[in-house]
Amino acid sequence: MRIGMFTDAYTPDINGVVSSIVTLKTELERQGHEVFVVTTKSSASKEEEPDDHIIRLAGIELKSLYGYVLTSPIHFAALEEIKKMNLDVIHVHTEFGVGIFARIVSNKLSIPLVSTYHTMYEDYTHYVNIFNLKSVEKVVKQATYSLSKLYGDKCTALIVPSEKTKERLEFYGIKKKIHVIPTGLDLERFDPIHTSEEMKQSLRKEIGVSDDDFLIVYVGRVAEEKSIDLVIDGFSFIKKAQKKIRLAVIGGGPQLDDLKKQAQKLGLEDYVFFTDRRPHDMIPGYYHCADAFVSASLSETQGMTFIEALASGLVVFARPDDVLTDLVIENETGYLFHTPEEFANQLMAYASLDEGSREQMKKQAKEKAAIYDSRLFGQKVYEVYQEAIQIYEKTYTIEKIKSKDDMVEMTVSSKDEQIKIVMTMDVYAEKKYHLNEMIHQEELEMLQNQEQFAQTYAKCIRKIAAKDRTRKEMYDFLTQDPDLSIKLINDVIDKLEQKGYINDYRYMMMQIESMKLLRYGNNRIVRTLVKKGISQPEIEEVLRKEDGELETIRGLKWAERQQMKPSDKPLKMQKMDMKRKLYQQGYETDVVNEIMNRLDFVEDHEKEKQNLKKMADRAWKRYAQKYEGTKLRNVVFRYLVAKGFDYDDIYEVIGEIERAND
């Protein structure tokens, strides 16, 4: 396999990332693969011999970020050279500079991209927030979360060195499968047998310590996030106790001068020594000439220097951190501390142990590092490469993006097919898709899996656009489709509620006001809304807040309008009809009775007497052809009673007719 490793840092620089890359490169080449490195130039890189398997990109070395070279993400000449490499896979080890260039190359040359997340960037925000402002810190940390998620989601496969890092990326919101592969070491390289006694003495002499001094070393980048100042503070207690214990800080970085001043201010010139930057191949020797190792850093994603120290047979002093859970075992492979004084006390206690006890702990330290064999590391990463290539075999290009309302339709195509995918605006915004972007089959399948949700959601939006609906109405609507699962239905309705398209309380309040305008009584309002799925106690609670007199006035106005309609019915029947209609309109008995008491029926009574007289005249004339006298009077009386007229009114009208005919 032909593999391209893209990294901002590479030899002769010294740090955990470089060690990881060098180890991986060595193991992959041992397996028979061809490995190319794309990295940056720095002043130190002039020492390196030209190598046709290494491309070094020009950049600017940032003094405030010691060892970091900032390079442009666009390199046309380098792109042409990379084309000639015929890479099968790109493995990127950084997110910025060369990392961005790697993503461009992957996209341009259609090569699967594997990314290893080495750095917890939220622990490095002090380089940007130089004034330590809380507002700036919040913005910068949020930016690191967003960028980490963006880069993590856009690679073909993602590797992290520890469970701690995986959990953090999942906290950022990365949904992609994350492979946890601890960085391996060439353990043989750190075996103390490879450094002679003469070399150990020479290195101790270079540092400035004598053969009978107890030497503890820090190895790595000298920067604020490594908390070396805490270790130096601890040596104030060592000095006070007049112990022959010395500290050597092996490495360089932006905080080197500040730490030298700190040691000088504390009067620790004879206790704390600084070597500055040292060649990569000399690092094992510095471990081997020491008696213990210390690092107070809490920003490690795996802690490579801790493993190197253990592999070198050194007991480790460290602050408690998740990445050290299985590495530093108290009183077995090392010691954990929180404060400078606690560190000093533990160090003096270890230094005072008999030789046999110290040798036993050193043996346990080497055994603890044994699981980090570089051969297993290389094999596991190679397996991820194979998986990434399989995933990448079928990729799709985004050709068209069309949005409407709260939905997005995206057209993607491969050499074999063209597919249209519908998604919600939320999904589109989260993924930040753009034209000509390539997506992998894994991601396409994810989008297709959620497409039924998107289509169902879109159908609901159209229905709600025509008329406001309650949760129950939408549930009843969706359950008519047998292809939709109950879980999907509930998920869609939950989403509609989250977006505010369904709001039962808002619906209830609007409908109550609307039904009041239609002169509905409270009972009808309750019945109507309960059928829509609104809670009856909730409706009644809202209605109770209304002055009862307002309901009576509402019903009275409705009844008065009904009263205006012409009717030939007797007044008694009209009143009965009015009460029946008021009940149907949703008014309770007490309210109906009050409304009937307030209605004015005087005019209706006069109209009824006129109707009665007309009907009585017609009936008298019709029945007079067959009957006469008392019998005629009784027949007409019964006829008018059957029509619902009042007895007294009937007697009065019949009497008038009889007098008129005498």
Side-chain angles (χ1 to χ4, degrees):
M1 187 180 290
R2 298 171 70 84
I3 303 156
M5 293 194 182
F6 287 66
T7 172
D8 282 333
Y10 194 60
T11 57
D13 293 334
I14 303 170
N15 57 46
V17 175
V18 173
S19 296
S20 173
I21 295 169
V22 170
T23 301
L24 179 58
K25 180 176 182 292
T26 301
E27 284 306 316
L28 290 171
E29 289 174 338
R30 186 179 297 172
Q31 293 175 17
H33 305 294
E34 194 165 2
V35 182
F36 301 84
V37 177
V38 179
T39 185
T40 58
K41 290 180 181 178
S42 66
S43 57
S45 67
K46 294 176 182 177
E47 304 167 12
E48 293 290 301
E49 292 295 326
D51 187 331
D52 60 3
H53 278 57
I54 299 178
I55 295 178
R56 290 191 180 269
L57 308 174
I60 301 171
E61 187 171 0
L62 301 181
K63 300 299 182 183
S64 60
L65 294 174
Y66 179 84
Y68 182 78
V69 176
L70 178 65
T71 185
S72 166
I74 301 174
H75 297 272
F76 294 110
L79 180 60
E80 292 303 314
E81 289 299 312
I82 294 168
K83 276 184 184 178
K84 299 174 186 176
M85 295 177 181
N86 295 317
L87 298 177
D88 296 303
V89 66
I90 288 174
H91 189 167
V92 59
H93 295 267
T94 182
E95 281 63 47
F96 309 103
V98 175
I100 298 174
F101 179 53
R103 289 164 172 82
I104 292 173
V105 173
S106 169
N107 191 45
K108 292 287 185 185
L109 304 184
S110 300
I111 302 172
L113 181 76
V114 175
S115 174
T116 292
Y117 193 90
H118 289 281
T119 307
M120 300 293 287
Y121 289 104
E122 63 180 284
D123 294 323
Y124 291 74
T125 56
H126 51 270
Y127 288 112
V128 177
N129 186 14
I130 58 176
F131 296 111
N132 197 28
L133 300 175
K134 287 185 179 180
S135 57
V136 174
E137 184 75 4
K138 183 178 180 181
V139 171
V140 174
K141 281 191 180 294
Q142 188 58 53
T144 65
Y145 300 164
S146 300
L147 285 171
S148 297
K149 184 179 186 307
L150 174 65
Y151 292 141
D153 282 337
K154 295 303 180 183
C155 61
T156 314
L158 181 60
I159 297 173
V160 296
S162 67
E163 286 292 338
K164 170 188 174 181
T165 312
K166 178 184 177 183
E167 290 171 5
R168 202 61 191 164
L169 293 186
E170 288 175 339
F171 171 76
Y172 294 161
I174 291 176
K175 305 297 184 185
K176 181 181 293 296
K177 177 182 177 182
I178 300 175
H179 302 266
V180 179
I181 305 178
T183 300
L185 286 176
D186 182 357
L187 299 180
E188 182 69 18
R189 177 171 174 256
F190 291 94
D191 194 318
I193 65 173
H194 296 298
T195 302
S196 67
E197 288 300 321
E198 292 78 7
M199 176 57 71
K200 292 177 186 178
Q201 290 176 6
S202 174
L203 291 174
R204 289 174 72 94
K205 184 177 180 180
E206 173 202 316
I207 292 169
V209 300
S210 63
D211 291 343
D212 60 344
D213 285 335
F214 183 97
L215 176 61
I216 186 168
V217 295
Y218 164 84
V219 178
R221 191 165 177 269
V222 181
E224 182 180 339
E225 64 275 3
K226 303 300 183 181
S227 302
I228 304 169
D229 56 331
L230 188 152
V231 177
I232 293 175
D233 283 341
F235 266 80
S236 294
F237 299 97
I238 302 288
K239 178 185 177 183
K240 186 176 180 180
Q242 297 182 341
K243 297 293 184 180
K244 293 195 69 175
I245 302 175
R246 306 292 184 257
L247 168 67
V249 178
I250 313 297
Q255 207 187 19
L256 183 60
D257 290 340
D258 290 340
L259 294 178
K260 286 180 178 179
K261 291 176 182 177
Q262 178 188 357
Q264 186 177 15
K265 183 178 180 181
L266 295 173
L268 299 175
E269 295 94 329
D270 295 332
Y271 287 84
V272 180
F273 303 89
F274 301 89
T275 67
D276 206 340
R277 191 176 190 166
R278 284 294 180 265
H280 180 74
D281 57 0
M282 290 183 65
I283 295 303
Y286 286 105
Y287 286 116
H288 299 156
C289 76
D291 300 292
F293 172 83
V294 63
S295 175
S297 173
L298 297 177
S299 65
E300 309 303 314
T301 54
Q302 182 179 350
M304 290 305 299
T305 55
F306 293 100
I307 301 170
E308 291 173 354
L310 291 169
S312 301
L314 296 185
V315 167
V316 168
F317 290 78
R319 286 198 287 172
D321 192 13
D322 289 344
V323 299
L324 302 178
T325 301
D326 296 323
L327 287 176
V328 181
I329 311 301
E330 198 83 39
N331 297 313
E332 292 184 17
T333 62
Y335 300 87
L336 299 173
F337 62 88
H338 295 85
T339 65
E341 184 175 5
E342 188 178 1
F343 161 63
N345 290 336
Q346 288 180 331
L347 179 57
M348 289 186 287
Y350 173 69
S352 65
L353 289 177
D354 61 82
E355 189 66 25
S357 298
R358 281 163 52 182
E359 284 301 318
Q360 178 61 27
M361 289 188 70
K362 287 181 179 181
K363 180 183 176 183
Q364 291 171 163
K366 285 194 69 175
E367 291 172 352
K368 180 60 67 174
I371 62 172
Y372 293 91
D373 191 304
S374 59
R375 288 169 295 181
L376 182 60
F377 171 51
Q379 181 58 35
K380 286 187 174 181
V381 172
Y382 172 66
E383 290 170 2
V384 174
Y385 292 164
Q386 289 180 308
E387 181 180 317
I389 291 170
Q390 290 174 358
I391 292 172
Y392 200 83
E393 279 180 354
K394 197 165 188 181
T395 59
Y396 295 80
T397 303
I398 299 176
E399 291 189 339
K400 188 184 296 183
I401 298 173
K402 183 171 65 175
S403 62
K404 183 178 180 182
D405 298 328
D406 206 27
M407 305 301 298
V408 173
E409 182 184 87
M410 191 166 75
T411 304
V412 300
S413 65
S414 67
K415 60 182 180 181
D416 301 321
E417 59 183 334
Q418 186 180 77
I419 301 173
K420 289 186 177 180
I421 309 164
V422 176
M423 69 190 77
T424 63
M425 187 64 75
D426 287 347
V427 171
Y428 173 72
E430 178 188 354
K431 295 294 184 179
K432 297 181 173 62
Y433 292 121
H434 55 79
L435 289 175
N436 301 318
E437 179 183 354
M438 297 180 69
I439 63 172
H440 312 307
Q441 187 171 20
E442 178 188 51
E443 187 160 2
L444 177 64
E445 290 172 356
M446 180 275 293
L447 291 173
Q448 288 175 324
N449 287 338
Q450 64 83 49
E451 189 167 23
Q452 187 182 36
F453 176 95
Q455 290 172 337
T456 305
Y457 183 81
K459 183 166 68 172
C460 291
I461 291 293
R462 291 192 294 270
K463 188 169 183 67
I464 293 170
K467 182 182 177 183
D468 203 7
R469 313 280 178 171
T470 64
R471 182 184 179 97
K472 179 180 182 300
E473 286 180 296
M474 294 309 300
Y475 186 88
D476 293 343
F477 168 66
L478 293 178
T479 50
Q480 294 174 18
D481 187 341
D483 294 331
L484 302 181
S485 69
I486 297 301
K487 182 182 183 308
L488 185 141
I489 290 171
N490 284 325
D491 287 346
V492 169
I493 292 176
D494 287 345
K495 186 69 174 179
L496 292 168
E497 285 186 326
Q498 290 170 15
K499 300 290 287 184
Y501 294 123
I502 294 177
N503 186 317
D504 280 3
Y505 182 79
R506 181 188 64 205
Y507 179 93
M508 175 186 70
M509 297 304 292
M510 291 178 63
Q511 289 299 312
I512 286 175
E513 290 307 311
S514 176
M515 286 188 279
K516 284 180 179 179
L517 291 174
L518 293 173
R519 315 295 189 198
Y520 284 7
N522 287 353
N523 282 348
R524 185 168 179 183
I525 292 174
V526 171
R527 289 197 306 269
T528 302
L529 291 177
V530 166
K531 288 180 181 179
K532 300 290 186 179
I534 308 297
S535 162
Q536 182 168 338
E538 191 173 6
I539 305 166
E540 291 173 345
E541 182 181 354
V542 172
L543 294 176
R544 274 196 298 271
K545 295 177 181 179
E546 178 188 50
D547 186 345
E549 176 65 13
L550 293 178
E551 184 186 14
T552 303
I553 293 172
R554 193 164 68 242
L556 183 61
K557 289 182 178 179
W558 182 85
E560 287 172 346
R561 291 191 57 138
Q562 297 299 310
Q563 210 176 7
M564 294 172 62
K565 297 177 180 179
S567 174
D568 293 335
K569 292 182 179 180
L571 183 59
K572 182 179 179 181
M573 293 186 68
Q574 287 184 39
K575 288 183 178 181
M576 291 175 63
D577 283 348
M578 181 67 74
K579 291 183 74 171
R580 178 177 53 79
K581 289 178 180 179
L582 283 169
Y583 285 125
Q584 291 175 345
Q585 194 68 0
Y587 293 98
E588 295 181 354
T589 301
D590 291 345
V591 178
V592 170
N593 291 336
E594 181 63 25
I595 291 170
M596 295 301 296
N597 289 336
R598 296 190 191 186
L599 282 173
D600 183 2
F601 288 101
V602 173
E603 186 175 344
D604 292 332
H605 189 257
E606 292 300 321
K607 289 180 180 179
E608 183 183 55
K609 289 188 70 173
Q610 294 175 10
N611 289 335
L612 172 59
K613 190 171 183 180
K614 289 178 182 178
M615 291 182 71
D617 285 338
R618 289 197 297 268
W620 190 274
K621 290 177 182 178
R622 183 168 66 252
Y623 290 116
Q625 297 176 10
K626 189 175 180 180
Y627 304 104
E628 61 181 20
T630 301
K631 195 165 187 177
L632 174 60
R633 175 188 177 91
N634 291 339
V635 170
V636 173
F637 185 87
R638 286 195 300 271
Y639 170 77
L640 294 175
V641 167
K643 290 296 183 181
F645 292 105
D646 183 76
Y647 285 11
D648 293 338
D649 290 341
I650 295 172
Y651 283 128
E652 183 181 344
V653 170
I654 289 178
E656 290 176 358
I657 294 174
E658 286 178 328
R659 286 192 294 273
N661 290 329
D662 284 344

